Amino acid sequence: MRMKRIAYILLFSLLLVSCGTRSGYFKMEGRFLHMNQGELYVYSPDGGIAGLDTIKIEAGRFSYEKPCSKPSTLIIIFPNYSTQPIFAESGEAVEVKADASHLKEMEVEGTKDNELMTKFRKQIASVSPPEELKYAIAFINDHPESAVSAYLLNRYLVQTESPDYKQAAKLLPLLIKEQPDNTSLGHLQRHLSELGSLPIGSKIPKFTAKDVNGKTVNNATFQGKDVVIINTWAAWSYESLDIQRALSDAVKAGKIAALGICVDANPKEVRQIIERDGVEFSNVCDGKLLNTPLLKTFGLNTIPDNIVIRNGKVVERNITANTIRQRYGAD
């Protein structure tokens, strides 16, 4: 009997090894054509990992494993700064196959959500942006139970330079009904409801706060400034850090004024990041994460997010780092 028990344990262990992952972990392995060596970066917008991780590519292959207690979305950043999502689940493993010159057609096998995202990538690989949007809306309606739908709703209807908040608000209840445990959907719902408190055309509200260096920041700080951009960011979001750097260059060039709102927990570490990146404009971090009062004041609730204020009124939302560089870069 004892030998039989040992045999079962050994067999179970072999099955775990053959599956390539462990309970409580998520693993992805992959290979790339036309990318023999290099680095990828990965972060999680919903807290699946803290900060920014590095993935090494050697001989065209990589392997990455992380603790995973609940489903989360990972965003891979490629050397050309394009991004693609991977949907992590506890005890699961996926295989990534891609041509570095055609990343839009990246294939991910191993879980239902990742295979659905692969199918969507292939659908939009050669279509126009308006057609991409149509495919995204159709996918959300067909798969409200999928984490992919939450990602696509945010990507195509909210975190874009041409957002459609009305359509997002219409689709969001379908996802919440099918994914009641997805906390990121709750954050998104609050974000959409708070957008109405500061719509395009609104005057900048009265506010006062202390930045990470103890300096008071308020309405008077930006008096007489033609363009002010208020940006939310976090150390774990590469996209938001890229926006911060673009804003920093524009401020140094004298084109705009800016205010950063960081949702990280440790103001001291935030100050170190600001010094490292040479950011000279004020940044607020009160350690209250997404509950910081300034987010509600400015109708901001996601990372990254921003509002553009011209002559005291909100004129745009959620512009990208590339737009900032093109519009406000040094001459």
Side-chain angles (χ1 to χ4, degrees), residues 204-223:
I204 183 173
K206 291 183 178 181
F207 75 97
T208 185
K210 295 278 189 181
D211 70 12
V212 292
N213 293 312
K215 179 182 176 181
T216 298
V217 186
N218 54 31
N219 300 74
T221 305
F222 303 109
Q223 192 169 0

mmCIF file with all atom_site columns, all heavy atoms in Angstrom, residues 204-223:
data_model
loop_
_atom_site.group_PDB
_atom_site.id
_atom_site.type_symbol
_atom_site.label_atom_id
_atom_site.label_alt_id
_atom_site.label_comp_id
_atom_site.label_asym_id
_atom_site.label_entity_id
_atom_site.label_seq_id
_atom_site.pdbx_PDB_ins_code
_atom_site.Cartn_x
_atom_site.Cartn_y
_atom_site.Cartn_z
_atom_site.occupancy
_atom_site.B_iso_or_equiv
_atom_site.pdbx_formal_charge
_atom_site.auth_seq_id
_atom_site.auth_comp_id
_atom_site.auth_asym_id
_atom_site.auth_atom_id
_atom_site.pdbx_PDB_model_num
ATOM 1   N N   . ILE A 1 204 ? -12.038 74.083 -14.885 1.00 0.00 ? 204 ILE A N   1
ATOM 2   C CA  . ILE A 1 204 ? -11.243 73.318 -13.935 1.00 0.00 ? 204 ILE A CA  1
ATOM 3   C C   . ILE A 1 204 ? -11.747 73.601 -12.521 1.00 0.00 ? 204 ILE A C   1
ATOM 4   O O   . ILE A 1 204 ? -11.917 74.755 -12.133 1.00 0.00 ? 204 ILE A O   1
ATOM 5   C CB  . ILE A 1 204 ? -9.742  73.652 -14.065 1.00 0.00 ? 204 ILE A CB  1
ATOM 6   C CG1 . ILE A 1 204 ? -8.920  72.793 -13.102 1.00 0.00 ? 204 ILE A CG1 1
ATOM 7   C CG2 . ILE A 1 204 ? -9.477  75.125 -13.861 1.00 0.00 ? 204 ILE A CG2 1
ATOM 8   C CD1 . ILE A 1 204 ? -7.414  72.944 -13.289 1.00 0.00 ? 204 ILE A CD1 1
ATOM 9   N N   . PRO A 1 205 ? -12.050 72.556 -11.738 1.00 0.00 ? 205 PRO A N   1
ATOM 10  C CA  . PRO A 1 205 ? -12.591 72.776 -10.388 1.00 0.00 ? 205 PRO A CA  1
ATOM 11  C C   . PRO A 1 205 ? -11.520 73.304 -9.429  1.00 0.00 ? 205 PRO A C   1
ATOM 12  O O   . PRO A 1 205 ? -10.319 73.194 -9.683  1.00 0.00 ? 205 PRO A O   1
ATOM 13  C CB  . PRO A 1 205 ? -13.047 71.377 -9.970  1.00 0.00 ? 205 PRO A CB  1
ATOM 14  C CG  . PRO A 1 205 ? -12.175 70.456 -10.762 1.00 0.00 ? 205 PRO A CG  1
ATOM 15  C CD  . PRO A 1 205 ? -11.922 71.129 -12.075 1.00 0.00 ? 205 PRO A CD  1
ATOM 16  N N   . LYS A 1 206 ? -11.983 73.862 -8.320  1.00 0.00 ? 206 LYS A N   1
ATOM 17  C CA  . LYS A 1 206 ? -11.050 74.319 -7.298  1.00 0.00 ? 206 LYS A CA  1
ATOM 18  C C   . LYS A 1 206 ? -10.439 73.114 -6.592  1.00 0.00 ? 206 LYS A C   1
ATOM 19  O O   . LYS A 1 206 ? -11.131 72.138 -6.292  1.00 0.00 ? 206 LYS A O   1
ATOM 20  C CB  . LYS A 1 206 ? -11.762 75.212 -6.283  1.00 0.00 ? 206 LYS A CB  1
ATOM 21  C CG  . LYS A 1 206 ? -12.184 76.560 -6.847  1.00 0.00 ? 206 LYS A CG  1
ATOM 22  C CD  . LYS A 1 206 ? -12.815 77.426 -5.771  1.00 0.00 ? 206 LYS A CD  1
ATOM 23  C CE  . LYS A 1 206 ? -13.199 78.799 -6.335  1.00 0.00 ? 206 LYS A CE  1
ATOM 24  N NZ  . LYS A 1 206 ? -13.807 79.670 -5.295  1.00 0.00 ? 206 LYS A NZ  1
ATOM 25  N N   . PHE A 1 207 ? -9.139  73.172 -6.343  1.00 0.00 ? 207 PHE A N   1
ATOM 26  C CA  . PHE A 1 207 ? -8.461  72.073 -5.671  1.00 0.00 ? 207 PHE A CA  1
ATOM 27  C C   . PHE A 1 207 ? -7.218  72.600 -4.974  1.00 0.00 ? 207 PHE A C   1
ATOM 28  O O   . PHE A 1 207 ? -6.693  73.675 -5.296  1.00 0.00 ? 207 PHE A O   1
ATOM 29  C CB  . PHE A 1 207 ? -8.060  70.983 -6.674  1.00 0.00 ? 207 PHE A CB  1
ATOM 30  C CG  . PHE A 1 207 ? -6.873  71.345 -7.522  1.00 0.00 ? 207 PHE A CG  1
ATOM 31  C CD1 . PHE A 1 207 ? -5.594  70.910 -7.195  1.00 0.00 ? 207 PHE A CD1 1
ATOM 32  C CD2 . PHE A 1 207 ? -7.018  72.142 -8.650  1.00 0.00 ? 207 PHE A CD2 1
ATOM 33  C CE1 . PHE A 1 207 ? -4.494  71.256 -7.964  1.00 0.00 ? 207 PHE A CE1 1
ATOM 34  C CE2 . PHE A 1 207 ? -5.920  72.487 -9.442  1.00 0.00 ? 207 PHE A CE2 1
ATOM 35  C CZ  . PHE A 1 207 ? -4.657  72.042 -9.099  1.00 0.00 ? 207 PHE A CZ  1
ATOM 36  N N   . THR A 1 208 ? -6.744  71.840 -4.013  1.00 0.00 ? 208 THR A N   1
ATOM 37  C CA  . THR A 1 208 ? -5.467  72.118 -3.371  1.00 0.00 ? 208 THR A CA  1
ATOM 38  C C   . THR A 1 208 ? -4.885  70.801 -2.872  1.00 0.00 ? 208 THR A C   1
ATOM 39  O O   . THR A 1 208 ? -5.627  69.911 -2.423  1.00 0.00 ? 208 THR A O   1
ATOM 40  C CB  . THR A 1 208 ? -5.622  73.121 -2.203  1.00 0.00 ? 208 THR A CB  1
ATOM 41  O OG1 . THR A 1 208 ? -4.325  73.451 -1.696  1.00 0.00 ? 208 THR A OG1 1
ATOM 42  C CG2 . THR A 1 208 ? -6.471  72.538 -1.088  1.00 0.00 ? 208 THR A CG2 1
ATOM 43  N N   . ALA A 1 209 ? -3.580  70.648 -3.010  1.00 0.00 ? 209 ALA A N   1
ATOM 44  C CA  . ALA A 1 209 ? -2.922  69.409 -2.600  1.00 0.00 ? 209 ALA A CA  1
ATOM 45  C C   . ALA A 1 209 ? -1.446  69.698 -2.352  1.00 0.00 ? 209 ALA A C   1
ATOM 46  O O   . ALA A 1 209 ? -0.929  70.749 -2.727  1.00 0.00 ? 209 ALA A O   1
ATOM 47  C CB  . ALA A 1 209 ? -3.077  68.339 -3.672  1.00 0.00 ? 209 ALA A CB  1
ATOM 48  N N   . LYS A 1 210 ? -0.765  68.754 -1.710  1.00 0.00 ? 210 LYS A N   1
ATOM 49  C CA  . LYS A 1 210 ? 0.680   68.829 -1.498  1.00 0.00 ? 210 LYS A CA  1
ATOM 50  C C   . LYS A 1 210 ? 1.346   67.833 -2.433  1.00 0.00 ? 210 LYS A C   1
ATOM 51  O O   . LYS A 1 210 ? 0.938   66.668 -2.515  1.00 0.00 ? 210 LYS A O   1
ATOM 52  C CB  . LYS A 1 210 ? 1.035   68.476 -0.053  1.00 0.00 ? 210 LYS A CB  1
ATOM 53  C CG  . LYS A 1 210 ? 0.515   69.451 0.993   1.00 0.00 ? 210 LYS A CG  1
ATOM 54  C CD  . LYS A 1 210 ? 1.422   70.652 1.125   1.00 0.00 ? 210 LYS A CD  1
ATOM 55  C CE  . LYS A 1 210 ? 1.004   71.511 2.319   1.00 0.00 ? 210 LYS A CE  1
ATOM 56  N NZ  . LYS A 1 210 ? 1.869   72.705 2.453   1.00 0.00 ? 210 LYS A NZ  1
ATOM 57  N N   . ASP A 1 211 ? 2.393   68.275 -3.154  1.00 0.00 ? 211 ASP A N   1
ATOM 58  C CA  . ASP A 1 211 ? 3.111   67.329 -3.993  1.00 0.00 ? 211 ASP A CA  1
ATOM 59  C C   . ASP A 1 211 ? 4.109   66.536 -3.153  1.00 0.00 ? 211 ASP A C   1
ATOM 60  O O   . ASP A 1 211 ? 4.213   66.744 -1.928  1.00 0.00 ? 211 ASP A O   1
ATOM 61  C CB  . ASP A 1 211 ? 3.769   68.031 -5.190  1.00 0.00 ? 211 ASP A CB  1
ATOM 62  C CG  . ASP A 1 211 ? 4.946   68.915 -4.815  1.00 0.00 ? 211 ASP A CG  1
ATOM 63  O OD1 . ASP A 1 211 ? 5.434   68.844 -3.666  1.00 0.00 ? 211 ASP A OD1 1
ATOM 64  O OD2 . ASP A 1 211 ? 5.403   69.689 -5.680  1.00 0.00 ? 211 ASP A OD2 1
ATOM 65  N N   . VAL A 1 212 ? 4.853   65.621 -3.775  1.00 0.00 ? 212 VAL A N   1
ATOM 66  C CA  . VAL A 1 212 ? 5.718   64.717 -3.015  1.00 0.00 ? 212 VAL A CA  1
ATOM 67  C C   . VAL A 1 212 ? 6.898   65.442 -2.375  1.00 0.00 ? 212 VAL A C   1
ATOM 68  O O   . VAL A 1 212 ? 7.585   64.874 -1.514  1.00 0.00 ? 212 VAL A O   1
ATOM 69  C CB  . VAL A 1 212 ? 6.245   63.576 -3.916  1.00 0.00 ? 212 VAL A CB  1
ATOM 70  C CG1 . VAL A 1 212 ? 5.111   62.654 -4.326  1.00 0.00 ? 212 VAL A CG1 1
ATOM 71  C CG2 . VAL A 1 212 ? 6.978   64.123 -5.134  1.00 0.00 ? 212 VAL A CG2 1
ATOM 72  N N   . ASN A 1 213 ? 7.123   66.684 -2.765  1.00 0.00 ? 213 ASN A N   1
ATOM 73  C CA  . ASN A 1 213 ? 8.176   67.487 -2.144  1.00 0.00 ? 213 ASN A CA  1
ATOM 74  C C   . ASN A 1 213 ? 7.635   68.460 -1.105  1.00 0.00 ? 213 ASN A C   1
ATOM 75  O O   . ASN A 1 213 ? 8.363   69.310 -0.587  1.00 0.00 ? 213 ASN A O   1
ATOM 76  C CB  . ASN A 1 213 ? 8.952   68.260 -3.221  1.00 0.00 ? 213 ASN A CB  1
ATOM 77  C CG  . ASN A 1 213 ? 9.733   67.335 -4.133  1.00 0.00 ? 213 ASN A CG  1
ATOM 78  O OD1 . ASN A 1 213 ? 10.438  66.447 -3.665  1.00 0.00 ? 213 ASN A OD1 1
ATOM 79  N ND2 . ASN A 1 213 ? 9.600   67.526 -5.438  1.00 0.00 ? 213 ASN A ND2 1
ATOM 80  N N   . GLY A 1 214 ? 6.325   68.337 -0.790  1.00 0.00 ? 214 GLY A N   1
ATOM 81  C CA  . GLY A 1 214 ? 5.720   69.178 0.227   1.00 0.00 ? 214 GLY A CA  1
ATOM 82  C C   . GLY A 1 214 ? 5.251   70.533 -0.270  1.00 0.00 ? 214 GLY A C   1
ATOM 83  O O   . GLY A 1 214 ? 4.798   71.369 0.522   1.00 0.00 ? 214 GLY A O   1
ATOM 84  N N   . LYS A 1 215 ? 5.309   70.765 -1.574  1.00 0.00 ? 215 LYS A N   1
ATOM 85  C CA  . LYS A 1 215 ? 4.897   72.043 -2.144  1.00 0.00 ? 215 LYS A CA  1
ATOM 86  C C   . LYS A 1 215 ? 3.400   72.055 -2.398  1.00 0.00 ? 215 LYS A C   1
ATOM 87  O O   . LYS A 1 215 ? 2.835   71.074 -2.885  1.00 0.00 ? 215 LYS A O   1
ATOM 88  C CB  . LYS A 1 215 ? 5.654   72.293 -3.456  1.00 0.00 ? 215 LYS A CB  1
ATOM 89  C CG  . LYS A 1 215 ? 5.299   73.586 -4.151  1.00 0.00 ? 215 LYS A CG  1
ATOM 90  C CD  . LYS A 1 215 ? 6.070   73.707 -5.474  1.00 0.00 ? 215 LYS A CD  1
ATOM 91  C CE  . LYS A 1 215 ? 5.661   74.961 -6.234  1.00 0.00 ? 215 LYS A CE  1
ATOM 92  N NZ  . LYS A 1 215 ? 6.383   75.062 -7.528  1.00 0.00 ? 215 LYS A NZ  1
ATOM 93  N N   . THR A 1 216 ? 2.743   73.165 -2.068  1.00 0.00 ? 216 THR A N   1
ATOM 94  C CA  . THR A 1 216 ? 1.300   73.288 -2.298  1.00 0.00 ? 216 THR A CA  1
ATOM 95  C C   . THR A 1 216 ? 1.017   73.505 -3.788  1.00 0.00 ? 216 THR A C   1
ATOM 96  O O   . THR A 1 216 ? 1.662   74.314 -4.449  1.00 0.00 ? 216 THR A O   1
ATOM 97  C CB  . THR A 1 216 ? 0.711   74.466 -1.505  1.00 0.00 ? 216 THR A CB  1
ATOM 98  O OG1 . THR A 1 216 ? 0.907   74.216 -0.107  1.00 0.00 ? 216 THR A OG1 1
ATOM 99  C CG2 . THR A 1 216 ? -0.765  74.632 -1.781  1.00 0.00 ? 216 THR A CG2 1
ATOM 100 N N   . VAL A 1 217 ? 0.063   72.741 -4.299  1.00 0.00 ? 217 VAL A N   1
ATOM 101 C CA  . VAL A 1 217 ? -0.381  72.870 -5.689  1.00 0.00 ? 217 VAL A CA  1
ATOM 102 C C   . VAL A 1 217 ? -1.872  73.178 -5.672  1.00 0.00 ? 217 VAL A C   1
ATOM 103 O O   . VAL A 1 217 ? -2.644  72.484 -5.004  1.00 0.00 ? 217 VAL A O   1
ATOM 104 C CB  . VAL A 1 217 ? -0.127  71.568 -6.484  1.00 0.00 ? 217 VAL A CB  1
ATOM 105 C CG1 . VAL A 1 217 ? -0.450  71.776 -7.958  1.00 0.00 ? 217 VAL A CG1 1
ATOM 106 C CG2 . VAL A 1 217 ? 1.291   71.080 -6.314  1.00 0.00 ? 217 VAL A CG2 1
ATOM 107 N N   . ASN A 1 218 ? -2.283  74.220 -6.374  1.00 0.00 ? 218 ASN A N   1
ATOM 108 C CA  . ASN A 1 218 ? -3.697  74.572 -6.446  1.00 0.00 ? 218 ASN A CA  1
ATOM 109 C C   . ASN A 1 218 ? -3.981  75.302 -7.754  1.00 0.00 ? 218 ASN A C   1
ATOM 110 O O   . ASN A 1 218 ? -3.128  75.366 -8.642  1.00 0.00 ? 218 ASN A O   1
ATOM 111 C CB  . ASN A 1 218 ? -4.113  75.410 -5.228  1.00 0.00 ? 218 ASN A CB  1
ATOM 112 C CG  . ASN A 1 218 ? -3.226  76.635 -5.046  1.00 0.00 ? 218 ASN A CG  1
ATOM 113 O OD1 . ASN A 1 218 ? -2.709  77.196 -6.021  1.00 0.00 ? 218 ASN A OD1 1
ATOM 114 N ND2 . ASN A 1 218 ? -3.024  77.053 -3.801  1.00 0.00 ? 218 ASN A ND2 1
ATOM 115 N N   . ASN A 1 219 ? -5.181  75.848 -7.857  1.00 0.00 ? 219 ASN A N   1
ATOM 116 C CA  . ASN A 1 219 ? -5.570  76.533 -9.093  1.00 0.00 ? 219 ASN A CA  1
ATOM 117 C C   . ASN A 1 219 ? -4.614  77.659 -9.451  1.00 0.00 ? 219 ASN A C   1
ATOM 118 O O   . ASN A 1 219 ? -4.299  77.873 -10.628 1.00 0.00 ? 219 ASN A O   1
ATOM 119 C CB  . ASN A 1 219 ? -6.994  77.075 -8.963  1.00 0.00 ? 219 ASN A CB  1
ATOM 120 C CG  . ASN A 1 219 ? -8.014  75.985 -8.715  1.00 0.00 ? 219 ASN A CG  1
ATOM 121 O OD1 . ASN A 1 219 ? -8.083  75.445 -7.613  1.00 0.00 ? 219 ASN A OD1 1
ATOM 122 N ND2 . ASN A 1 219 ? -8.791  75.641 -9.724  1.00 0.00 ? 219 ASN A ND2 1
ATOM 123 N N   . ALA A 1 220 ? -4.142  78.372 -8.430  1.00 0.00 ? 220 ALA A N   1
ATOM 124 C CA  . ALA A 1 220 ? -3.253  79.510 -8.688  1.00 0.00 ? 220 ALA A CA  1
ATOM 125 C C   . ALA A 1 220 ? -1.947  79.068 -9.346  1.00 0.00 ? 220 ALA A C   1
ATOM 126 O O   . ALA A 1 220 ? -1.318  79.832 -10.092 1.00 0.00 ? 220 ALA A O   1
ATOM 127 C CB  . ALA A 1 220 ? -2.963  80.251 -7.387  1.00 0.00 ? 220 ALA A CB  1
ATOM 128 N N   . THR A 1 221 ? -1.541  77.796 -9.104  1.00 0.00 ? 221 THR A N   1
ATOM 129 C CA  . THR A 1 221 ? -0.306  77.280 -9.686  1.00 0.00 ? 221 THR A CA  1
ATOM 130 C C   . THR A 1 221 ? -0.338  77.363 -11.215 1.00 0.00 ? 221 THR A C   1
ATOM 131 O O   . THR A 1 221 ? 0.698   77.583 -11.854 1.00 0.00 ? 221 THR A O   1
ATOM 132 C CB  . THR A 1 221 ? -0.091  75.817 -9.255  1.00 0.00 ? 221 THR A CB  1
ATOM 133 O OG1 . THR A 1 221 ? -0.120  75.729 -7.831  1.00 0.00 ? 221 THR A OG1 1
ATOM 134 C CG2 . THR A 1 221 ? 1.246   75.278 -9.763  1.00 0.00 ? 221 THR A CG2 1
ATOM 135 N N   . PHE A 1 222 ? -1.527  77.203 -11.774 1.00 0.00 ? 222 PHE A N   1
ATOM 136 C CA  . PHE A 1 222 ? -1.646  77.142 -13.233 1.00 0.00 ? 222 PHE A CA  1
ATOM 137 C C   . PHE A 1 222 ? -2.305  78.377 -13.830 1.00 0.00 ? 222 PHE A C   1
ATOM 138 O O   . PHE A 1 222 ? -2.674  78.372 -15.012 1.00 0.00 ? 222 PHE A O   1
ATOM 139 C CB  . PHE A 1 222 ? -2.414  75.881 -13.631 1.00 0.00 ? 222 PHE A CB  1
ATOM 140 C CG  . PHE A 1 222 ? -1.780  74.613 -13.117 1.00 0.00 ? 222 PHE A CG  1
ATOM 141 C CD1 . PHE A 1 222 ? -2.371  73.888 -12.095 1.00 0.00 ? 222 PHE A CD1 1
ATOM 142 C CD2 . PHE A 1 222 ? -0.572  74.176 -13.642 1.00 0.00 ? 222 PHE A CD2 1
ATOM 143 C CE1 . PHE A 1 222 ? -1.773  72.737 -11.607 1.00 0.00 ? 222 PHE A CE1 1
ATOM 144 C CE2 . PHE A 1 222 ? 0.034   73.029 -13.164 1.00 0.00 ? 222 PHE A CE2 1
ATOM 145 C CZ  . PHE A 1 222 ? -0.566  72.310 -12.145 1.00 0.00 ? 222 PHE A CZ  1
ATOM 146 N N   . GLN A 1 223 ? -2.474  79.390 -13.017 1.00 0.00 ? 223 GLN A N   1
ATOM 147 C CA  . GLN A 1 223 ? -3.083  80.624 -13.514 1.00 0.00 ? 223 GLN A CA  1
ATOM 148 C C   . GLN A 1 223 ? -2.204  81.236 -14.612 1.00 0.00 ? 223 GLN A C   1
ATOM 149 O O   . GLN A 1 223 ? -0.985  81.369 -14.474 1.00 0.00 ? 223 GLN A O   1
ATOM 150 C CB  . GLN A 1 223 ? -3.268  81.629 -12.373 1.00 0.00 ? 223 GLN A CB  1
ATOM 151 C CG  . GLN A 1 223 ? -4.137  82.817 -12.738 1.00 0.00 ? 223 GLN A CG  1
ATOM 152 C CD  . GLN A 1 223 ? -4.505  83.631 -11.499 1.00 0.00 ? 223 GLN A CD  1
ATOM 153 O OE1 . GLN A 1 223 ? -4.111  83.294 -10.383 1.00 0.00 ? 223 GLN A OE1 1
ATOM 154 N NE2 . GLN A 1 223 ? -5.268  84.687 -11.694 1.00 0.00 ? 223 GLN A NE2 1
#
